[in-house]
Every structure is written in structure tokens, then in C-alpha cells.
Amino acid sequence: MRLIIVSNRLPVTITEKEGRYDVSHSAGGVATGLDAFLGSQQAPANSIWVGWPGAPFAADKQEEVRRLCRERGAHPVFLPEADQELYYEGFCNDTIWPLFHYFPLYTSYDQEAWEAYVRVNQAFADEIASLASADDTVWIHDYHFLLLPAMLRQKRPRQRIGFFLHIPFPSYELFRLLAGPWRTAILNGLLGADLIGFHTHDYTQYFLKCVRRILGIDHHIGEIAVEDRLVKVDTFPMGVDFDAFNARAASNETARLRDMVRKPLGDCEVVLSVDRLDYSKGIDNRLLAYQRFLDDNPGWRGRVVLMLVVVPSREGVELYRKMKSKIDELVGQINGRFGTVHWTPIVYQYKCLDAEPLTALYTASQVVLVTPLRDGMNLIAKEYVASRSDDTGVLVLSETAGAASELGEAIQVNPNDIPGMAVAFREALEMPLDLQKPAMSAMRRRLRRYNVIRWADDFLANLQAPRLRLGQRILSAEHQERIVRDFDKARRRLILCDYDGTVVPLRPTPDMAAPTPVVIDLIQRLSRVAEMVIVSGRDRAALENWFGNLDVGLVAEHGVWTRRHGEWLLKNGHSLDWKSKVRELMELYVDRLPGAFIEEKEHSIAWHYRRADPDLASVRVKELTDTLISLTENGQANILEGSKVIEVRPSGVGKGAAASVFLFPEPDFILALGDDSTDEDLFKAMPRSAHTIRVGLTKSQARYSLYSQPQAVQLLESLAACGAPPADDDNEDSAPIRSVSEGRTGTAAYRTHEHAGKPLAESLGPPQAIVRPRITAAR
Ligand SMILES: [Mg+2]
């Protein structure tokens, strides 16, 4: 197995000038961290890194770049210059970056940039598909490739694909600001992976919530069923190469550099701030808080220095240039206001720092300020902790950085609260050693254990764990052919088929799901070649109205009513005393959940919530179910959870018991087909020889599953296309299972309803005719 790592930038940057190629290391915490993992014993023996080489190259130079990359275990993806600009500066950095960092005002929504983003993701998918073999694992990194997992999945359905997001995943309210097709494509894009990782539990939850609200797909403990796959979504807080920082902190070179930093500062305490230039980092707020701290604490003037390191970034972009000017201005203002001949409050460097000088700064600083407005993780905070080998030092950490959820011992601040931060700076500077040490050593223990190697190892172990592929039970084309063959050969054929979600798609309200003429025609054709039974939770009026004229069996209200050969039978022996109390309670919950409504049937009552807000609904469903359980404790009624519906019906009633009436005389072909938990009853009641199929992917008693409702219709169509059953040997009756004696169905378990025998319209009031079948079934 090879590990294929995919990131926007390769760990090496290649430049060319007049035929001379220069190869340098790319900066960045993620690249450094992954490099540390690849160098460790836990890494797979073979790995290859796919990414952009850092500059555009003419076609005649690409072969040389490929060769240079190959020598370093990398594989370049070349992009047209125009696409690179629109994709990276455009969609990645002007749309995803600001929006995911909670800066909607800086977010642009540019269609051209989106299209370039799609093209670049596709180019990567093509390149990886040409490179990867079946047993390779592909690990895709970050917001540049939100569409890539699904694009690659389409080309390589069985490839193992992991995705990790290194920036925050925003809450639904922010994410929904993306145009409809974009946000759907992004969520579906990510769901192409087998495992999706985020830094914090919050980001994981936000993602799951967006999937639920936008795609309408629920999860079960972080697992989402997508076609025949289970996609796992989980939290993996990225660590740093703890041992490397720890060792570097103790090196002679670091000591030398530290002395160089410290010497000119005399006895001053050092407070450190290191960030890439970006609006998400909140550098200006930090400077304002430092100013406030000096204002409020004159005793600290002359005794503390803020080392402010700002790493240049996106210098060509106007917004970043303005931000830089503002920082320059604030530094000038604070130094001008408080500085003296002997003391400069802020030492400001606008440059990149290598690992050694950075570690020297970490070890020289009593306090580090990591106060971004929003940050996916923030590795500076962790690098500082890893470098404090004497357990001293204080971390001031923004509560909106991903690292805050792991580093609870830090002094946590709200980066918008300037006075609060000023107080925290003082607290950090004045914290006695006996408080510093336990906090720092606890954080160090945690980061030493869950370092970057463990992080990557943990992610990959999860990605490679054998996962239940729901596809193992999916009804394949061969299975389906076998069912049709069995059906074709059988003389006594029985089809037990649910209605909503099986014959017709689920709709927001039950009355929107009336059968179309096409559906009626299908049922009618089936009724000519088999004993066709609609086994539904619907009330008897609706079923009679729709299918009353057809030669079909009907089961209404999940088995309260059964009709065979035109006569309705009521399951007897149950009381309906519970019904008014249940109705009252359900009415209360209709008021408490906008969009919910009640469907009252003769012997059961249902509370639907398909149109309600899914989050509020999940709370209300729990409350309502709990109350219903205590209300129905006397055992007269059962509570049934279906697809976005809670139904209460008399005890002892179920689709299974009702359908068993149709099992005599014994058919030699049975198909039971249904889409929700109420159909499980039906599957359980079937003999072993029956073909049982659940529509939708979930755990089921049924032998097979189908992805979707249209596939159920397809299967029914292929059965309808078979001719009438072969004639019985004794030539008694060629019609399917028609010779059942009335006495058989009128067993003790059932009694005829008082209205049976009369036209149903008389007992149920005027029919609400929706579809009138043209042909009346022969009786
Ligand atoms: Mg159904």
C-alpha cells in the first residue's frame, strides 16, 4: 500500500530562472507536521505527495520539474495560470477562507472563481486517478479540495479516501450563505471520502448539521450512509512534532540565539506574538489590548517588551496591505506614546522565521499571546508549549482558536474583549511559578502524547479500519434477475408492498403523495400477474379511495384493517381509550413545533414532522416520545417511530400479523418490500423463502436493500413485465391465489367491521376521489 498525500502546495517549491532550477522547502505548519509523520516509523514505507509545484511551468519544462519532484517523493500537478489565480486567490482565499473564518463581509461570491475551483479539483482527480492503484490510500488536505473526494470516488469507486480540514468548519448559518449549488456540491464533495476529519468536536458537529439540514441526510454517531458506503466523520486535533521542538529548545544553537534576543532587553520580561498577516489573526486587537495594559499598569512600563513577529502574506491584495498599514500605525503609536530613550515597548519584525530563531523566541518569552479572532487549530500555541522544557511560561489563548478545546490550562480570552485581554496579559505576567508549572506541565503531557505523528497515525488507522460496507447487502443486478426468474416460474405469487416511500416518494405531507395514473397502472398490471397487497400505514379511506377498484389486497393503519377480496376486516380486541389523551398531547406538540401536524386515522394517530426544523424536531421528538411512553404504559397502545413520523396504534397490531393472512394458501413466491421501520414487522413475519427488501440503506431484517425508491419501482416494473403465472397442473384456476375460502380469513383474530359489506363510501362519507382507475379489476 502507498499513501498518497494531496495538498495544494507540495512540501517543496520549485523555481526556474534561465534554465536553472532551484528547490526549496515550503513553509507552513501542516507541511512541516506531515513531513515529521512521513519521516517517522509509523508512516507507510511508500508515500507520494501530490500538489502544485509553486509556480507555473511551460510545457517544455514540466518534465524536468516532474523529475525533480520524483526524486523528493512528490508529484506535481500543473495548472493553467489563469485557473491557478482564480482558484487559489479567488475561490480558496476570497470565498472559503473568509467565510469559514466567520468574515462574511470579506467573502466574495464569484461564479468564475467557483468554476475555476471545480476545474482545478477535477484536474487533481484526473491526475490522482492516473497515479493511484487500487490498494493505495489517498489522504486529501484542506479547503482547496472540498470537491475532490467525490470527483475521485467517481473515477475510483473502491479507493480508500480520507479528507482532513485544517481550517474551521463554520456553523450552518454561515455555511448556508454559499450559493445553493455550491454548498450542495461541497457537502457531496466531502462525502466522497471514507473518513472526514476536523480539528474540533464543534467543527465536526457543524458539518454533520449542515449535511442534515442541506442534504437531508442524518447521521448515526458520526456515520453517514451514502449509497453503499458509510462515511465516518470524526475529530482529530492536530498536534505538533513535540520531540523536535523539545529537543531544539535545549540545543546550543537555540541558546545562542536566545541570548542574542535577551541581551539587548536587559531585565525586561518578553511577551511574544507570532502570526501570519491575516485578518483572522486579530493582530490589531492584540495591539490595542497591549496599549490598554500599559495604560492601566504604569508599573509594567519599562519592564516588558512585546516581540511582535508578523509573517508576510498575500502582499498583492489590497485588504492585506491595509491591514499591514494599520499594524504599522498602531506599533508606531504605542512606541511613540510609551517608549523612552531606554525602552521600546514593541519590537516589531515583519518577516518569516526559521525553526531555530522561532524556538529561541519561544524559550525567551515568559508569555505568548495567541489571540486570533478565529483559527482552525493554531499550531503556534502548541509549538510554544512543546518548547517550554522547564515547564515555565504562560499561554494566553483565544477561546475561538481550535487549540482552546485541548489547552484548557491556558488563560483563555475573548479576542474582541480589549479590556479583558489587557487584564489577562497582566495576570499572565504576574503568574507565580507554582501556578505556571502545573498548568504548563499538564499541557505538555497532553501534547507529548497526542503529537503530530500520533495524529496522522490515528487518522490513517481509522481510515484503514475495515468498515461495514452496506453494499454487501445491496440488491445486485444478479439478485434482481434471480427474483424475476423465481417470480416467472412461480404459480402462486404474492407481493406485499408498502406504499409511501416505496411505491411513491416520501412527500412533505401525506396528501401530496396520492398515486399518479402511472402508479395506478403499475399496481393494476401487478395485480394481474400476482396477488398484489398494499401494506400501508395509511387509513382505510385513502387506500379504498385510491385502490378500491383494483383487484388488490389492502392493509391499512399498519394492520388495523385488512381487505382481501374486497372486504375490510378489523383486527379486534383492542381498546381506543388512549386515543383522546394521545391526541391532546400531540396537539400540544404541534403547537410546540412549527411545521408538525397530526394525521388522525380510525384506530391510530400520527404526528408528522417532515416539514419542521430538524434540530428543534429532534428535541421535541424525544420529549413527545418520553411522554407518550408514560401515557401508554397500560399496554393498550404502541408507539411507532417511522420516517419523520411518530405513530400510536393499538397494541398487537402490526404489518407482519396483518400480512400473514395472505400467506394462506402458501405462495411459492413472496416479495415483501418496504422503506421504514414499520416494515420491519413485515420482514420478520415472512418465511425464509421470501424475498425481503428494504428501500434505503439502514440496518434491517430484510435480506436485501435498495438505494432508493425509484429502484423499488423498477423492480416492480420488471415483475409486472412477466406474464401471468403458468397454469396449475390440475388446471383449477390460473389466477394468482384466488381460491381462498372466506372462513380462512375470518379467523378468531379478525372480525368483520360493522360496515363491512356496505359500500365503504356510506360508512366513511364522500370519497375524495383523486385518481379514478379507468379499468375495473375483474372479480
Ligand atoms: Mg413507507
Side-chain angles (χ1 to χ4, degrees), residues 394-419:
V394 181
L395 171 63
V396 178
L397 181 61
S398 173
E399 60 196 20
T400 44
S405 57
E406 280 171 278
L407 302 176
E409 294 82 358
I411 297 181
Q412 297 206 358
V413 293
N414 177 335
N416 297 307
D417 175 7
I418 308 290

PDB file of all heavy atoms in Angstrom, residues 394-419:
ATOM      1  N   VAL A 394       3.619  31.166  30.234  1.00  0.00           N
ATOM      2  CA  VAL A 394       2.165  31.242  30.275  1.00  0.00           C
ATOM      3  C   VAL A 394       1.641  31.475  28.857  1.00  0.00           C
ATOM      4  O   VAL A 394       2.156  32.316  28.122  1.00  0.00           O
ATOM      5  CB  VAL A 394       1.694  32.401  31.194  1.00  0.00           C
ATOM      6  CG1 VAL A 394       0.174  32.446  31.257  1.00  0.00           C
ATOM      7  CG2 VAL A 394       2.287  32.241  32.595  1.00  0.00           C
ATOM      8  N   LEU A 395       0.619  30.700  28.522  1.00  0.00           N
ATOM      9  CA  LEU A 395      -0.023  30.833  27.216  1.00  0.00           C
ATOM     10  C   LEU A 395      -1.333  31.591  27.381  1.00  0.00           C
ATOM     11  O   LEU A 395      -2.187  31.189  28.173  1.00  0.00           O
ATOM     12  CB  LEU A 395      -0.286  29.427  26.658  1.00  0.00           C
ATOM     13  CG  LEU A 395      -1.125  29.291  25.399  1.00  0.00           C
ATOM     14  CD1 LEU A 395      -0.446  29.973  24.210  1.00  0.00           C
ATOM     15  CD2 LEU A 395      -1.356  27.813  25.075  1.00  0.00           C
ATOM     16  N   VAL A 396      -1.461  32.705  26.649  1.00  0.00           N
ATOM     17  CA  VAL A 396      -2.749  33.410  26.608  1.00  0.00           C
ATOM     18  C   VAL A 396      -3.391  33.041  25.279  1.00  0.00           C
ATOM     19  O   VAL A 396      -2.815  33.288  24.217  1.00  0.00           O
ATOM     20  CB  VAL A 396      -2.556  34.940  26.717  1.00  0.00           C
ATOM     21  CG1 VAL A 396      -3.909  35.646  26.613  1.00  0.00           C
ATOM     22  CG2 VAL A 396      -1.866  35.293  28.027  1.00  0.00           C
ATOM     23  N   LEU A 397      -4.548  32.398  25.349  1.00  0.00           N
ATOM     24  CA  LEU A 397      -5.107  31.749  24.166  1.00  0.00           C
ATOM     25  C   LEU A 397      -6.555  32.184  23.923  1.00  0.00           C
ATOM     26  O   LEU A 397      -7.375  32.199  24.843  1.00  0.00           O
ATOM     27  CB  LEU A 397      -5.037  30.224  24.363  1.00  0.00           C
ATOM     28  CG  LEU A 397      -5.545  29.339  23.233  1.00  0.00           C
ATOM     29  CD1 LEU A 397      -4.744  29.569  21.953  1.00  0.00           C
ATOM     30  CD2 LEU A 397      -5.427  27.863  23.644  1.00  0.00           C
ATOM     31  N   SER A 398      -6.811  32.469  22.674  1.00  0.00           N
ATOM     32  CA  SER A 398      -8.164  32.869  22.290  1.00  0.00           C
ATOM     33  C   SER A 398      -9.114  31.679  22.379  1.00  0.00           C
ATOM     34  O   SER A 398      -8.791  30.580  21.938  1.00  0.00           O
ATOM     35  CB  SER A 398      -8.084  33.373  20.858  1.00  0.00           C
ATOM     36  OG  SER A 398      -9.353  33.614  20.380  1.00  0.00           O
ATOM     37  N   GLU A 399     -10.309  31.929  22.918  1.00  0.00           N
ATOM     38  CA  GLU A 399     -11.279  30.826  23.024  1.00  0.00           C
ATOM     39  C   GLU A 399     -11.831  30.420  21.657  1.00  0.00           C
ATOM     40  O   GLU A 399     -12.440  29.370  21.526  1.00  0.00           O
ATOM     41  CB  GLU A 399     -12.418  31.215  23.978  1.00  0.00           C
ATOM     42  CG  GLU A 399     -13.189  32.440  23.548  1.00  0.00           C
ATOM     43  CD  GLU A 399     -14.048  33.038  24.676  1.00  0.00           C
ATOM     44  OE1 GLU A 399     -13.790  32.772  25.852  1.00  0.00           O
ATOM     45  OE2 GLU A 399     -14.972  33.795  24.324  1.00  0.00           O
ATOM     46  N   THR A 400     -11.563  31.241  20.622  1.00  0.00           N
ATOM     47  CA  THR A 400     -12.046  30.905  19.279  1.00  0.00           C
ATOM     48  C   THR A 400     -10.960  30.253  18.418  1.00  0.00           C
ATOM     49  O   THR A 400     -11.115  30.137  17.209  1.00  0.00           O
ATOM     50  CB  THR A 400     -12.587  32.159  18.569  1.00  0.00           C
ATOM     51  OG1 THR A 400     -11.671  33.223  18.808  1.00  0.00           O
ATOM     52  CG2 THR A 400     -13.952  32.540  19.072  1.00  0.00           C
ATOM     53  N   ALA A 401      -9.868  29.829  19.040  1.00  0.00           N
ATOM     54  CA  ALA A 401      -8.875  29.024  18.322  1.00  0.00           C
ATOM     55  C   ALA A 401      -9.198  27.557  18.586  1.00  0.00           C
ATOM     56  O   ALA A 401      -9.601  27.206  19.699  1.00  0.00           O
ATOM     57  CB  ALA A 401      -7.461  29.345  18.818  1.00  0.00           C
ATOM     58  N   GLY A 402      -9.011  26.709  17.584  1.00  0.00           N
ATOM     59  CA  GLY A 402      -9.296  25.279  17.759  1.00  0.00           C
ATOM     60  C   GLY A 402      -8.534  24.682  18.932  1.00  0.00           C
ATOM     61  O   GLY A 402      -9.047  23.818  19.652  1.00  0.00           O
ATOM     62  N   ALA A 403      -7.305  25.175  19.170  1.00  0.00           N
ATOM     63  CA  ALA A 403      -6.453  24.619  20.226  1.00  0.00           C
ATOM     64  C   ALA A 403      -7.067  24.815  21.616  1.00  0.00           C
ATOM     65  O   ALA A 403      -6.721  24.095  22.561  1.00  0.00           O
ATOM     66  CB  ALA A 403      -5.074  25.261  20.171  1.00  0.00           C
ATOM     67  N   ALA A 404      -7.994  25.791  21.743  1.00  0.00           N
ATOM     68  CA  ALA A 404      -8.557  26.093  23.066  1.00  0.00           C
ATOM     69  C   ALA A 404      -9.268  24.895  23.671  1.00  0.00           C
ATOM     70  O   ALA A 404      -9.290  24.732  24.901  1.00  0.00           O
ATOM     71  CB  ALA A 404      -9.525  27.272  22.962  1.00  0.00           C
ATOM     72  N   SER A 405      -9.845  24.025  22.813  1.00  0.00           N
ATOM     73  CA  SER A 405     -10.584  22.899  23.379  1.00  0.00           C
ATOM     74  C   SER A 405      -9.649  21.867  24.004  1.00  0.00           C
ATOM     75  O   SER A 405     -10.073  21.065  24.823  1.00  0.00           O
ATOM     76  CB  SER A 405     -11.479  22.252  22.320  1.00  0.00           C
ATOM     77  OG  SER A 405     -10.722  21.846  21.224  1.00  0.00           O
ATOM     78  N   GLU A 406      -8.370  21.889  23.631  1.00  0.00           N
ATOM     79  CA  GLU A 406      -7.419  20.944  24.233  1.00  0.00           C
ATOM     80  C   GLU A 406      -6.590  21.574  25.343  1.00  0.00           C
ATOM     81  O   GLU A 406      -6.094  20.869  26.210  1.00  0.00           O
ATOM     82  CB  GLU A 406      -6.401  20.501  23.179  1.00  0.00           C
ATOM     83  CG  GLU A 406      -6.853  19.443  22.242  1.00  0.00           C
ATOM     84  CD  GLU A 406      -5.804  19.320  21.166  1.00  0.00           C
ATOM     85  OE1 GLU A 406      -5.840  20.130  20.234  1.00  0.00           O
ATOM     86  OE2 GLU A 406      -4.931  18.460  21.301  1.00  0.00           O
ATOM     87  N   LEU A 407      -6.386  22.909  25.250  1.00  0.00           N
ATOM     88  CA  LEU A 407      -5.451  23.550  26.177  1.00  0.00           C
ATOM     89  C   LEU A 407      -6.215  24.382  27.206  1.00  0.00           C
ATOM     90  O   LEU A 407      -6.114  25.610  27.271  1.00  0.00           O
ATOM     91  CB  LEU A 407      -4.446  24.406  25.388  1.00  0.00           C
ATOM     92  CG  LEU A 407      -3.639  23.612  24.343  1.00  0.00           C
ATOM     93  CD1 LEU A 407      -2.733  24.523  23.528  1.00  0.00           C
ATOM     94  CD2 LEU A 407      -2.795  22.523  25.027  1.00  0.00           C
ATOM     95  N   GLY A 408      -6.984  23.676  28.005  1.00  0.00           N
ATOM     96  CA  GLY A 408      -7.829  24.329  28.998  1.00  0.00           C
ATOM     97  C   GLY A 408      -7.038  25.013  30.093  1.00  0.00           C
ATOM     98  O   GLY A 408      -7.554  25.883  30.798  1.00  0.00           O
ATOM     99  N   GLU A 409      -5.760  24.680  30.265  1.00  0.00           N
ATOM    100  CA  GLU A 409      -4.948  25.281  31.331  1.00  0.00           C
ATOM    101  C   GLU A 409      -4.424  26.658  30.948  1.00  0.00           C
ATOM    102  O   GLU A 409      -3.895  27.393  31.782  1.00  0.00           O
ATOM    103  CB  GLU A 409      -3.755  24.379  31.687  1.00  0.00           C
ATOM    104  CG  GLU A 409      -4.136  23.043  32.310  1.00  0.00           C
ATOM    105  CD  GLU A 409      -4.531  21.979  31.289  1.00  0.00           C
ATOM    106  OE1 GLU A 409      -4.550  22.299  30.076  1.00  0.00           O
ATOM    107  OE2 GLU A 409      -4.837  20.850  31.694  1.00  0.00           O
ATOM    108  N   ALA A 410      -4.545  27.016  29.663  1.00  0.00           N
ATOM    109  CA  ALA A 410      -4.094  28.340  29.226  1.00  0.00           C
ATOM    110  C   ALA A 410      -5.038  29.394  29.792  1.00  0.00           C
ATOM    111  O   ALA A 410      -6.160  29.074  30.206  1.00  0.00           O
ATOM    112  CB  ALA A 410      -4.108  28.407  27.702  1.00  0.00           C
ATOM    113  N   ILE A 411      -4.581  30.659  29.814  1.00  0.00           N
ATOM    114  CA  ILE A 411      -5.510  31.744  30.168  1.00  0.00           C
ATOM    115  C   ILE A 411      -6.304  32.029  28.899  1.00  0.00           C
ATOM    116  O   ILE A 411      -5.737  32.463  27.893  1.00  0.00           O
ATOM    117  CB  ILE A 411      -4.743  33.002  30.611  1.00  0.00           C
ATOM    118  CG1 ILE A 411      -3.939  32.711  31.879  1.00  0.00           C
ATOM    119  CG2 ILE A 411      -5.706  34.161  30.837  1.00  0.00           C
ATOM    120  CD1 ILE A 411      -3.170  33.909  32.410  1.00  0.00           C
ATOM    121  N   GLN A 412      -7.594  31.738  28.940  1.00  0.00           N
ATOM    122  CA  GLN A 412      -8.373  31.900  27.713  1.00  0.00           C
ATOM    123  C   GLN A 412      -9.053  33.259  27.683  1.00  0.00           C
ATOM    124  O   GLN A 412      -9.575  33.730  28.699  1.00  0.00           O
ATOM    125  CB  GLN A 412      -9.388  30.767  27.596  1.00  0.00           C
ATOM    126  CG  GLN A 412      -8.673  29.420  27.468  1.00  0.00           C
ATOM    127  CD  GLN A 412      -9.483  28.349  26.751  1.00  0.00           C
ATOM    128  OE1 GLN A 412     -10.621  28.560  26.363  1.00  0.00           O
ATOM    129  NE2 GLN A 412      -8.874  27.187  26.556  1.00  0.00           N
ATOM    130  N   VAL A 413      -9.022  33.871  26.491  1.00  0.00           N
ATOM    131  CA  VAL A 413      -9.584  35.214  26.354  1.00  0.00           C
ATOM    132  C   VAL A 413     -10.529  35.280  25.163  1.00  0.00           C
ATOM    133  O   VAL A 413     -10.438  34.478  24.241  1.00  0.00           O
ATOM    134  CB  VAL A 413      -8.474  36.282  26.141  1.00  0.00           C
ATOM    135  CG1 VAL A 413      -7.623  36.436  27.371  1.00  0.00           C
ATOM    136  CG2 VAL A 413      -7.618  35.966  24.914  1.00  0.00           C
ATOM    137  N   ASN A 414     -11.402  36.274  25.218  1.00  0.00           N
ATOM    138  CA  ASN A 414     -12.221  36.598  24.057  1.00  0.00           C
ATOM    139  C   ASN A 414     -11.466  37.680  23.286  1.00  0.00           C
ATOM    140  O   ASN A 414     -11.222  38.762  23.816  1.00  0.00           O
ATOM    141  CB  ASN A 414     -13.587  37.106  24.529  1.00  0.00           C
ATOM    142  CG  ASN A 414     -14.466  37.536  23.375  1.00  0.00           C
ATOM    143  OD1 ASN A 414     -13.988  37.905  22.297  1.00  0.00           O
ATOM    144  ND2 ASN A 414     -15.760  37.497  23.599  1.00  0.00           N
ATOM    145  N   PRO A 415     -11.088  37.403  22.040  1.00  0.00           N
ATOM    146  CA  PRO A 415     -10.206  38.341  21.317  1.00  0.00           C
ATOM    147  C   PRO A 415     -10.873  39.669  20.964  1.00  0.00           C
ATOM    148  O   PRO A 415     -10.205  40.586  20.504  1.00  0.00           O
ATOM    149  CB  PRO A 415      -9.842  37.564  20.046  1.00  0.00           C
ATOM    150  CG  PRO A 415     -10.947  36.571  19.863  1.00  0.00           C
ATOM    151  CD  PRO A 415     -11.419  36.216  21.243  1.00  0.00           C
ATOM    152  N   ASN A 416     -12.186  39.778  21.178  1.00  0.00           N
ATOM    153  CA  ASN A 416     -12.860  41.058  20.930  1.00  0.00           C
ATOM    154  C   ASN A 416     -12.955  41.898  22.197  1.00  0.00           C
ATOM    155  O   ASN A 416     -13.362  43.049  22.150  1.00  0.00           O
ATOM    156  CB  ASN A 416     -14.277  40.813  20.403  1.00  0.00           C
ATOM    157  CG  ASN A 416     -14.250  40.103  19.071  1.00  0.00           C
ATOM    158  OD1 ASN A 416     -13.582  40.555  18.144  1.00  0.00           O
ATOM    159  ND2 ASN A 416     -14.931  38.971  18.984  1.00  0.00           N
ATOM    160  N   ASP A 417     -12.596  41.294  23.318  1.00  0.00           N
ATOM    161  CA  ASP A 417     -12.733  41.969  24.610  1.00  0.00           C
ATOM    162  C   ASP A 417     -11.380  42.602  24.974  1.00  0.00           C
ATOM    163  O   ASP A 417     -10.548  41.984  25.632  1.00  0.00           O
ATOM    164  CB  ASP A 417     -13.163  40.903  25.641  1.00  0.00           C
ATOM    165  CG  ASP A 417     -13.223  41.454  27.053  1.00  0.00           C
ATOM    166  OD1 ASP A 417     -13.071  42.679  27.226  1.00  0.00           O
ATOM    167  OD2 ASP A 417     -13.395  40.651  27.981  1.00  0.00           O
ATOM    168  N   ILE A 418     -11.177  43.848  24.522  1.00  0.00           N
ATOM    169  CA  ILE A 418      -9.873  44.506  24.700  1.00  0.00           C
ATOM    170  C   ILE A 418      -9.535  44.656  26.198  1.00  0.00           C
ATOM    171  O   ILE A 418      -8.445  44.255  26.633  1.00  0.00           O
ATOM    172  CB  ILE A 418      -9.839  45.884  23.982  1.00  0.00           C
ATOM    173  CG1 ILE A 418     -10.281  45.741  22.519  1.00  0.00           C
ATOM    174  CG2 ILE A 418      -8.478  46.563  24.115  1.00  0.00           C
ATOM    175  CD1 ILE A 418      -9.352  45.026  21.610  1.00  0.00           C
ATOM    176  N   PRO A 419     -10.458  45.210  27.041  1.00  0.00           N
ATOM    177  CA  PRO A 419     -10.118  45.328  28.469  1.00  0.00           C
ATOM    178  C   PRO A 419      -9.843  43.959  29.101  1.00  0.00           C
ATOM    179  O   PRO A 419      -8.925  43.815  29.908  1.00  0.00           O
ATOM    180  CB  PRO A 419     -11.363  45.973  29.089  1.00  0.00           C
ATOM    181  CG  PRO A 419     -12.140  46.546  27.962  1.00  0.00           C
ATOM    182  CD  PRO A 419     -11.812  45.763  26.737  1.00  0.00           C
TER     183      PRO A 419
END
